[in-house]
């Protein structure tokens, strides 16, 4: 193959990518396998757009071009078909042998790539993208080995692949029932059709460039039936410390729709799971996790089937709420990033309580970070067109940059204040959770957007929180307490009582010689509200101290202070308040004028 033909081949790959982008809507429409979520076209188009953005035809060789293609595909892959496609590109790049004549190197690499695509899937099924990949690759090899030119081989292979595509509607029951060919298989056909038409005839596919944000893109699953597993998760893991086949086999225990791209050095994982935190614990114990994405398919399904309100409620993971409250009431939660030494986790999604408890004891550095820009942008894009209005309730701006970040992104995206508004809760933890709870009650009662915003802005002034700290180390480490004062307090066995001021900044309101004494002081203060019949709602939270929280609830109930819920603190609160901390928050009735 001449150098000019090598360049033309790479241009053909890019032309195939354009053709897939062009067919996004059709591929979404016919998507019914493995789940009828209508997103195969979007996922494949996003993959191809990443390739178009990152791959240059100005390379030293076909091998270099295929390496670029593979690297871009790994970063851009999402969804089952996208991951399988990316594994195919990975197989092309790793199997291409420069020592062979270019035509033979290409078709033999395609044959090996098909095998690697099958290996990437835990339970390969015929009648899918895998089948058409196999047919295309085998016919390429057959034609070249019979002495035909690459143009002839591509032409025949395209024709045979189209026939194989038509057969997919008879190979799987769900496709036969819907009288459809497989969406992923058709996406692959469009790709090789675009490649063939360009290389053989010079035909160029014209397309409109997509604006795709890969690293934090939310997969929008238009599910027609409830998903078996709640979360669609993706991870990028480097430097595996166990055998690849063992790693793959063990991953199968965490869910389904498992697809892997890569090898021992770097592997990207796609899996549907209900236990992303347990899965993350396994991953960090066997490699270095450099990327993670977790989308709530169950929430998306519920919204698609029956949205509970016309106003979306969004908050961040620092808001502590009763278990399953967010899913039951369709609250969208932006996860904070947790940084423990060199590892990063998503709050309330990818870190287990037991693992966090262990790390809190040994971590040299611990901190939290606001959700990143891409996470916020993709959630805002997801909400557009689904709700009449969106209300975001953020952790206190004095404690985190989350409020400023979301406000800035809304401004950047030029979203109307008539559609979306952000409230600085000036609260955190269960106090913020109580404000979110009230927001849910208002929107589910079909109150107007203006009424909801006004009521919440008034209510936040009547929510209190008191924290009985047990361990000063996290507060000293984070700088909330000056180090020299913290050391003195520790030597004197002083246990601070912390609250928030009117602006949402932390303040010290007292101290005791034990946490037990701190709880007595807090109980006395809250009893004053109860005696005046001013309490509307009360939450208690704890950091790995459930029994103490239950005992405190009993004590509070005995003093006519009913506790509506005991909530486990978020990991973000655990990092800042420390292990065994206990807190109480409540809503006060308005004082009679």
């Amino acid at each position: 193959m001449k150098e000019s033909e090598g360049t033309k081949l790479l241009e053909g790959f890019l032309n195939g990518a354009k053709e897939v982008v062009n067919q996004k809507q059709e591929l979404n429409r016919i998507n019914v396998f493995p789940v009828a979520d209508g997103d195969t076209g979007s996922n494949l188009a996003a993959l191809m757009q990443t390739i178009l953005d990152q791959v240059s035809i100005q390379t030293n060789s076909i091998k270099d071009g295929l390496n670029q293609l593979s690297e871009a595909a790994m970063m851009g892959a999402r969804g089952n078909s996208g991951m399988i496609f990316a594994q195919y590109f990975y197989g092309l790049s790793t199997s291409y042998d420069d020592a062979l004549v270019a035509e033979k190197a290409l078709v033999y690499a395609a044959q090996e790539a098909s095998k690697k695509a099958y290996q990437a899937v835990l339970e390969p099924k015929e009648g899918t993208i895998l089948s058409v990949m196999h047919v295309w690759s085998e016919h390429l090899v057959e034609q070249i080995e019979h002495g035909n030119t690459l143009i002839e081989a591509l032409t025949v292979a395209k024709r045979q692949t189209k026939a194989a595509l038509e057969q997919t509607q008879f190979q799987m029951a769900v496709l036969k029932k819907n009288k459809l060919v497989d969406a992923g298989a058709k996406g692959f056909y469009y790709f090789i059709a675009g490649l063939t038409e360009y290389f053989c005839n010079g035909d160029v596919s014209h397309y409109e460039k997509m604006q795709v944000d890969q690293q934090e893109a939310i997969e929008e699953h238009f599910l027609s039936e409830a998903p078996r597993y709640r979360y669609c998760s993706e991870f990028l893991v480097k430097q595996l410390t166990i055998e690849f086949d063992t790693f793959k086999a063990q991953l199968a225990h965490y869910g389904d729709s498992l697809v892997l791209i890569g090898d021992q050095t770097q592997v990207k994982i796609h899996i549907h799971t209900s236990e992303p935190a347990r899965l993350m614990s396994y991953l960090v114990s066997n490699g270095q996790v450099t990327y993670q994405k977790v989308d709530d398919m169950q929430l998306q399904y519920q919204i698609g089937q029956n949205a509970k309100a016309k106003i979306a409620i969004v908050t961040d993971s620092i808001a502590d709420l009763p278990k399953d409250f967010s899913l039951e009431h369709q609250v969208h939660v932006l996860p904070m990033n947790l940084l423990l030494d060199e590892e990063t986790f998503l709050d309330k999604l990818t870190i287990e309580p037991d693992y966090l408890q262990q790390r809190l004891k040994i971590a040299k550095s611990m901190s939290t970070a606001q959700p990143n820009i891409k996470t916020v942008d993709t959630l805002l894009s997801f909400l557009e067109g689904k709700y009449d209005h969106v209300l975001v309730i953020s952790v206190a701006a004095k404690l985190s940059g989350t409020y400023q970040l979301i406000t800035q992104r809304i401004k950047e995206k030029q979203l109307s204040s008539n559609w979306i508004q952000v409230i600085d809760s000036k609260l955190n933890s269960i106090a913020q959770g109580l404000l979110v709870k009230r927001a849910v009650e208002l929107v589910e009662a079909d109150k107007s957007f203006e009424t909801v915003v006004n009521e919440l802005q008034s209510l936040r002034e009547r929510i209190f929180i008191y924290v009985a700290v047990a361990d000063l180390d996290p507060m000293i480490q984070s700088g909330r307490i000056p180090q020299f004062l913290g050391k003195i307090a520790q030597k004197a066995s002083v246990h601070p009582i912390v609250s928030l001021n009117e602006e949402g900044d932390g303040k010290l309101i007292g101290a005791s010689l034990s946490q037990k004494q701190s709880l007595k002081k807090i109980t006395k203060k809250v009893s004053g509200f109860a005696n005046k019949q001013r309490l509307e709602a009360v939450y208690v939270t704890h950091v790995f101290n459930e029994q103490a929280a239950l005992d405190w609830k009993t004590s509070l109930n005995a003093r006519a202070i009913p506790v509506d819920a005991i909530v486990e603190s978020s990991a973000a609160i655990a990092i800042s308040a420390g292990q065994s901390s206990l807190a109480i928050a409540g809503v006060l009735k308005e004082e009679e004028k």
Side-chain angles (χ1 to χ4, degrees):
M1 187 183 294
K2 298 177 182 178
E3 183 177 338
S4 60
E5 289 182 317
T7 300
K8 190 175 183 181
L9 179 65
L10 294 175
E11 289 175 335
F13 279 118
L14 298 185
N15 196 63
K18 292 177 183 178
E19 188 60 28
V20 175
V21 174
N22 287 342
Q23 304 299 334
K24 179 181 77 170
Q25 296 302 332
E26 183 197 353
L27 297 176
N28 279 339
R29 181 181 60 78
I30 66 173
N31 175 206
V32 295
F33 177 83
V35 287
D37 51 5
D39 65 354
T40 292
S42 298
N43 291 340
L44 290 182
L47 165 65
M48 297 303 168
Q49 188 61 61
T50 304
I51 289 171
L52 290 165
D53 289 343
Q54 297 185 15
V55 175
S56 169
I57 60 170
Q58 305 303 319
T59 62
N60 296 324
S61 65
I62 294 175
K63 177 76 170 178
D64 287 342
L66 292 176
N67 286 339
Q68 282 189 43
L69 192 71
S70 173
E71 290 170 7
M74 178 172 282
M75 296 311 299
R78 71 190 210 203
N80 277 57
S81 294
M83 294 285 287
I84 294 170
F85 224 132
Q87 179 70 351
Y88 188 86
F89 289 138
Y90 172 78
L92 274 178
S93 68
T94 57
S95 302
Y96 187 89
D97 187 353
D98 273 331
L100 297 175
V101 175
E103 288 84 355
K104 286 190 175 182
L106 176 67
V107 300
Y108 290 151
Q111 190 176 49
E112 288 301 311
S114 174
K115 295 176 184 177
K116 288 187 180 296
Y118 272 88
Q119 293 166 4
V121 182
L122 187 64
E123 297 179 354
K125 288 183 170 59
E126 296 303 330
T128 65
I129 188 173
L130 295 170
S131 302
V132 294
M133 285 176 170
H134 174 73
V135 169
W136 187 68
S137 304
E138 291 302 313
H139 278 88
L140 284 179
V141 171
E142 181 181 294
Q143 290 296 309
I144 292 298
E145 288 186 341
H146 278 81
N148 293 325
T149 65
L150 184 57
I151 287 179
E152 292 169 331
L154 287 169
T155 302
V156 171
K158 175 193 168 190
R159 183 170 64 247
Q160 295 298 329
T161 303
K162 185 175 183 181
L165 170 64
E166 295 301 325
Q167 284 300 308
T168 62
Q169 66 181 306
F170 306 111
Q171 291 176 276
M172 300 192 68
V174 65
L175 298 176
K176 189 173 183 179
K177 177 183 177 182
N178 288 277
K179 298 180 180 179
L180 293 170
V181 298
D182 180 67
K186 194 161 191 177
F188 183 79
Y189 173 74
Y190 280 132
F191 176 79
I192 62 105
L195 161 63
T196 303
E197 291 305 315
Y198 184 85
F199 190 82
C200 299
N201 307 315
D203 294 344
V204 178
S205 295
H206 298 283
Y207 84 117
E208 183 176 343
K209 180 176 179 177
M210 291 175 58
Q211 296 300 317
V212 178
D213 182 355
Q214 287 305 321
Q215 285 299 301
E216 295 294 336
I218 290 181
E219 286 183 41
E220 188 172 344
H221 299 263
F222 298 101
L223 297 164
S224 59
E225 58 184 39
R228 181 181 177 189
Y229 295 96
R230 180 170 175 179
Y231 300 102
C232 177
S233 307
E234 291 180 7
F235 301 89
L236 191 63
V237 185
K238 294 186 176 181
Q239 305 302 326
L240 286 180
T241 57
I242 62 173
E243 290 296 323
F244 190 83
D245 288 343
T246 302
F247 178 70
K248 178 182 175 182
Q250 292 182 355
L251 284 179
H253 299 300
Y254 293 91
D256 66 8
S257 297
L258 175 63
V259 185
L260 288 82
I261 317 169
D263 53 26
Q264 196 91 10
T265 304
Q266 178 171 274
V267 59
K268 189 170 185 180
I269 303 155
H270 170 280
I271 186 170
H272 292 174
T273 181
S274 294
E275 301 176 296
R278 190 168 73 90
L279 172 57
M280 182 68 165
S281 294
Y282 172 73
L283 296 178
V284 297
S285 67
N286 289 288
Q288 179 187 358
V289 178
T290 60
Y291 166 69
Q292 55 195 300
K293 178 172 76 73
V294 180
D295 297 334
D296 193 335
M297 294 191 297
Q298 184 67 39
L299 178 59
Q300 292 181 14
Y301 168 74
Q302 288 188 4
I303 292 168
Q305 294 295 305
N306 181 30
K308 288 183 176 290
K310 297 176 182 178
I311 302 173
I313 299 299
V314 178
T315 191
D316 52 71
S317 63
I318 289 181
D320 287 326
L321 291 158
K323 186 179 180 181
D324 298 327
F325 181 93
S326 296
L327 181 60
E328 182 181 346
H329 296 281
Q330 299 176 358
V331 177
H332 301 268
V333 180
L334 288 163
M336 304 295 284
N337 288 291
L338 311 173
L339 289 74
L340 304 177
D341 292 331
E342 301 300 317
E343 296 173 346
T344 302
F345 301 86
L346 299 177
D347 190 18
K348 294 183 178 175
L349 287 175
T350 63
I351 188 161
E352 290 187 294
D354 289 347
Y355 185 84
L356 174 63
Q357 193 169 11
Q358 294 171 9
R359 293 305 307 273
L360 287 174
K361 295 176 182 177
I362 62 174
K364 295 179 181 178
S365 65
M366 300 179 293
S367 62
T368 61
Q370 64 201 36
N372 62 40
I373 290 174
K374 295 172 183 177
T375 303
V376 175
D377 282 357
T378 48
L379 177 58
L380 294 177
S381 296
F382 172 79
L383 296 173
E384 286 188 271
K386 294 180 178 62
Y387 291 94
D388 292 348
H389 304 282
V390 176
L391 181 60
V392 184
I393 302 170
S394 78
V395 62
K398 291 286 187 179
L399 302 176
S400 167
T402 303
Y403 172 81
Q404 289 87 344
L405 169 65
I406 297 172
T407 302
Q408 189 273 331
R409 297 317 300 163
I410 290 171
K411 182 178 179 181
E412 179 70 21
K413 293 169 75 70
Q414 298 181 335
L415 299 175
S416 170
S417 60
N418 293 325
W419 181 69
I420 184 168
Q421 290 198 29
V422 187
I423 292 178
D424 173 5
S425 72
K426 300 183 180 180
L427 302 165
N428 69 351
S429 187
I430 45 174
Q432 183 184 349
L434 283 168
L435 192 65
V436 172
K437 178 176 177 288
R438 181 57 180 155
V440 166
E441 292 169 353
L442 291 170
V443 300
E444 290 184 358
D446 207 24
K447 299 294 183 181
S448 71
F449 191 44
E450 182 180 5
T451 298
V452 174
V453 172
N454 290 338
E455 285 206 29
L456 294 181
Q457 287 175 334
S458 173
L459 179 66
R460 68 184 171 186
E461 311 300 329
R462 295 186 280 112
I463 297 178
F464 65 83
I465 183 169
Y466 304 122
V467 184
V469 176
D471 178 11
L472 284 175
D473 279 339
M475 301 190 81
I476 296 170
Q477 192 176 83
S478 65
R480 287 180 171 84
I481 295 178
Q483 199 165 56
F484 75 97
L485 285 178
K487 296 300 180 184
I488 293 172
Q490 283 179 320
K491 284 185 178 180
S493 296
V494 172
H495 291 70
I497 301 172
V498 181
S499 185
L500 298 173
N501 63 23
E502 292 180 354
E503 294 304 312
D505 207 355
K507 68 174 182 178
L508 184 66
I509 62 169
S512 304
L513 294 178
S514 69
Q515 187 185 45
K516 190 173 182 179
Q517 288 183 1
S518 294
L519 293 178
K520 287 181 178 179
K521 290 181 179 180
I522 293 172
T523 300
K524 183 177 180 181
K525 189 170 185 65
V526 178
S527 292
F529 298 135
N531 292 337
K532 295 177 182 179
Q533 297 185 331
R534 290 199 61 202
L535 288 177
E536 280 189 10
V538 173
Y539 278 0
V540 166
T541 189
H542 65 92
V543 178
F544 308 123
N545 204 1
E546 185 177 14
Q547 187 56 54
L550 290 168
D551 293 342
W552 194 19
K553 176 184 177 181
T554 300
S555 175
L556 291 165
N557 289 343
R559 289 165 175 76
I561 303 172
V563 176
D564 297 280
I566 293 178
V567 183
E568 187 173 316
S569 284
S570 70
I573 294 296
I575 287 173
S576 61
Q579 291 203 58
S580 299
S581 292
L582 293 163
I584 187 170
V587 179
L588 299 177
K589 296 176 183 177
E590 289 188 86
E591 290 187 279
E592 295 183 6
K593 297 181 181 179

